[in-house]
Amino acid sequence: MTLHLLVELVNSVPTPMPSPSPGLEGGGGATTPSSTPAWVPYLTLIAAVLAAGVAFFAAILQRRSGRESAEAARASANAAKKSSQASERSAKAAEDSVALNAETSRATAERLDSEALGKRFQDAASQLGNANAAVRLAGVYSLARLADDWPEQRQTCVNVLCALLRMRPQMKTYTEEQHYPVELPDDGDQQVRRTVSDLISNRVTGTDALWATCDFDLTYAHLVDFRLRDATISGRFIMNGATIERDCSFTRTVFGGGLDAQELRINGTLKLTDVLPGPGKTVSLTGSYIDEGATLDFVLSKPPPATEQWAVWPTKIVCRGELILKVTKTTYEQATFHVPGLQLEPTASFRIIQTPASEADSSKLPKIEAKEWSTTASAKIAIPGSIRKKHIFKASEWTGVPQPQFEYAYVTPPDIDAILGLDDNDA
């Protein structure tokens, strides 16, 4: 290309033409050389060559500059990419740092919360050990609030409250008018126990039953006015060997984990109304003792379907007080309530009450089966005539001597006044 350009430049140089002689005009006289110097064409050629060289080198420089610009652009793009990647890494590092800081802050907050909750537990526990009943009462409320706020240790808090009920009641010496010292339960300690009972009852009922999933170990507890109503407890409820004082009652309560209430000592009144266990569980009162003047009261208005066993067992109960079974009209299938091994002492009374008598019939009442009963002289058995006529009550293997005026009823020595079969009006 450059050579072609040079050839074009050379060809473009004009050839010098002869100029006419000054003495000759209009004729064909001789010519004389032009006045233009002979080196001018060569100078033009040299200039053309130089211009071509300049253009050539300019093209080379331009091409090199283009390559350098492209390389610079690629380098700039790579640098921008690396910068973007670095920015992304920096942003990711910042996010990781924020997450780490948040996790650290959360862990710190949880640790501080745990320490604060632990401090509350220690303070409440120290209050429960105070000799002053008012301070113990404050500790009970503090521990209950802590159980609400601390789900991870809720069972522990409930265990401590149950342990308080398992402790021996505190006694106080009183002086009567004759200045005779009498030792009776301390009123302050009784108030503390009632408060614990109320707190347990309140927190296993209603829509916000926070403690309903807990286990309650009241083994050998001293229970005063302990009541549960409309509760469903999924955990275990253990009352083996507990002492019942004053008026305790379980009303429309389902013990999902079962109720172990064996060998109770009933000094007051224990009333069980529509108490049922969860599937595969039982309500057991085996071996319980009803003291003289005390009452065990069953209200049987909600028996299970006929295809299921009634898993409530008042078995081998020793009664010196009163045992009452109340039956009422129900829409459930007829079921059988078993009361095996009842031992009635001389001061004991067994009663079946139909409530109300005018609205129930035998097809809507549960059957009551008495088996292996032992009745001593002077024990009273009161059953309405309608119950006897409808054969709702059935006794078998009753030890003792039969009484002619009452079918299947026996006492140990012959005593015609031991068995009382009441009419409906007497019930």
Side-chain angles (χ1 to χ4, degrees):
M1 177 179 178
T2 306
L3 181 60
H4 177 73
L5 180 60
L6 291 175
V7 172
E8 291 292 334
L9 290 174
V10 171
N11 292 332
S12 64
V13 175
T15 303
M17 298 295 295
S19 58
S21 174
L24 299 177
E25 295 181 0
T31 61
T32 59
S34 172
S35 61
T36 302
W39 50 268
V40 171
Y42 299 102
L43 180 62
T44 303
L45 177 62
I46 292 171
V49 171
L50 290 176
V54 170
F56 176 74
F57 284 111
I60 292 174
L61 292 176
Q62 184 177 5
R63 185 176 181 182
R64 180 179 296 176
S65 176
R67 285 199 303 270
E68 290 177 352
S69 297
E71 291 176 357
R74 284 195 296 270
S76 177
N78 291 334
K81 183 177 179 181
K82 292 180 181 179
S83 177
S84 176
Q85 292 175 347
S87 298
E88 291 178 358
R89 289 194 297 269
S90 178
K92 184 65 170 58
E95 290 179 1
D96 294 342
S97 177
V98 170
L100 180 60
N101 292 336
E103 183 64 26
T104 303
S105 300
R106 184 163 49 252
T108 302
E110 290 178 355
R111 179 176 57 81
L112 294 175
D113 288 343
S114 180
E115 291 177 354
L117 293 170
K119 180 64 166 55
R120 287 173 59 186
F121 181 84
Q122 294 177 357
D123 293 343
S126 64
Q127 288 178 311
L128 293 179
N130 196 284
N132 191 318
V135 177
R136 295 200 304 275
L137 192 61
V140 166
Y141 282 112
S142 297
L143 197 59
R145 287 193 297 271
L146 180 59
D148 296 339
D149 299 339
W150 202 3
E152 295 80 6
Q153 295 298 328
R154 180 171 296 154
Q155 183 64 64
T156 301
C157 297
V158 170
N159 290 344
V160 174
L161 292 174
C162 290
L164 190 149
L165 295 178
R166 293 199 304 269
M167 293 180 180
R168 185 184 298 276
Q170 297 189 17
M171 308 299 288
K172 188 174 181 180
T173 301
Y174 296 88
T175 303
E176 292 190 347
E177 295 179 358
Q178 293 83 7
H179 304 288
Y180 185 83
V182 177
E183 192 177 57
L184 297 173
D186 181 41
D187 290 339
D189 184 66
Q190 297 286 85
Q191 182 61 42
V192 172
R193 291 175 182 273
R194 288 193 188 92
T195 301
V196 174
S197 300
D198 291 343
L199 289 171
I200 292 175
S201 179
N202 293 337
R203 282 163 172 76
V204 296
T205 59
T207 57
D208 193 21
L210 295 178
W211 300 4
T213 59
C214 294
D215 296 330
F216 295 89
D217 185 1
L218 299 174
T219 304
Y220 297 106
H222 189 84
L223 304 179
V224 181
D225 295 330
F226 187 87
R227 297 181 178 91
L228 294 176
R229 178 181 291 272
D230 297 317
T232 299
I233 301 173
S234 59
R236 294 187 62 192
F237 206 98
I238 305 172
M239 291 173 50
N240 295 331
T243 299
I244 304 298
E245 296 285 352
R246 305 209 181 176
D247 294 321
C248 297
S249 63
F250 299 152
T251 304
R252 293 183 298 277
T253 300
V254 177
F255 293 94
L259 172 61
D260 295 328
Q262 302 179 38
E263 299 181 358
L264 294 179
R265 184 177 182 90
I266 303 173
N267 295 333
T269 297
L270 175 59
K271 186 174 183 179
L272 306 178
T273 303
D274 294 341
V275 172
L276 293 175
K281 303 298 181 178
T282 61
V283 173
S284 177
L285 282 78
T286 301
S288 296
Y289 174 78
I290 306 172
D291 201 1
E292 186 174 355
T295 301
L296 175 58
D297 190 344
F298 281 95
V299 180
L300 310 177
S301 62
K302 193 176 182 180
T307 57
E308 299 180 13
Q309 287 290 330
W310 202 328
V312 181
W313 304 110
T315 305
K316 297 182 179 179
I317 291 179
V318 177
C319 180
R320 296 180 64 89
E322 187 173 31
L323 174 58
I324 302 174
L325 300 182
K326 294 179 180 177
V327 294
T328 186
K329 181 179 180 180
T330 178
T331 58
Y332 285 72
E333 297 288 340
Q334 190 179 51
T336 301
F337 187 75
H338 300 275
V339 189
L342 176 64
Q343 180 179 337
L344 296 174
E345 298 293 323
T347 57
S349 172
F350 172 78
R351 303 176 65 194
I352 297 178
I353 300 176
Q354 180 178 331
T355 59
S358 60
E359 295 184 5
D361 57 71
S362 60
S363 64
K364 296 292 182 68
L365 293 175
K367 300 289 186 181
I368 299 172
E369 183 180 60
K371 186 177 182 180
E372 299 179 354
W373 282 23
S374 173
T375 311
T376 58
S378 301
K380 303 297 187 293
I381 299 177
I383 301 176
S386 62
I387 297 292
R388 297 199 308 272
K389 294 174 184 177
K390 296 169 184 175
H391 303 287
I392 292 172
F393 179 76
K394 179 182 178 181
S396 62
E397 302 178 24
W398 200 331
T399 62
V401 179
Q403 295 297 312
Q405 80 276 22
F406 189 81
E407 188 179 8
Y408 303 120
Y410 296 79
V411 294
T412 303
D415 187 340
I416 202 166
D417 295 328
I419 306 299
L420 299 179
L422 299 182
D423 295 330
D424 292 339
N425 294 333
D426 299 328

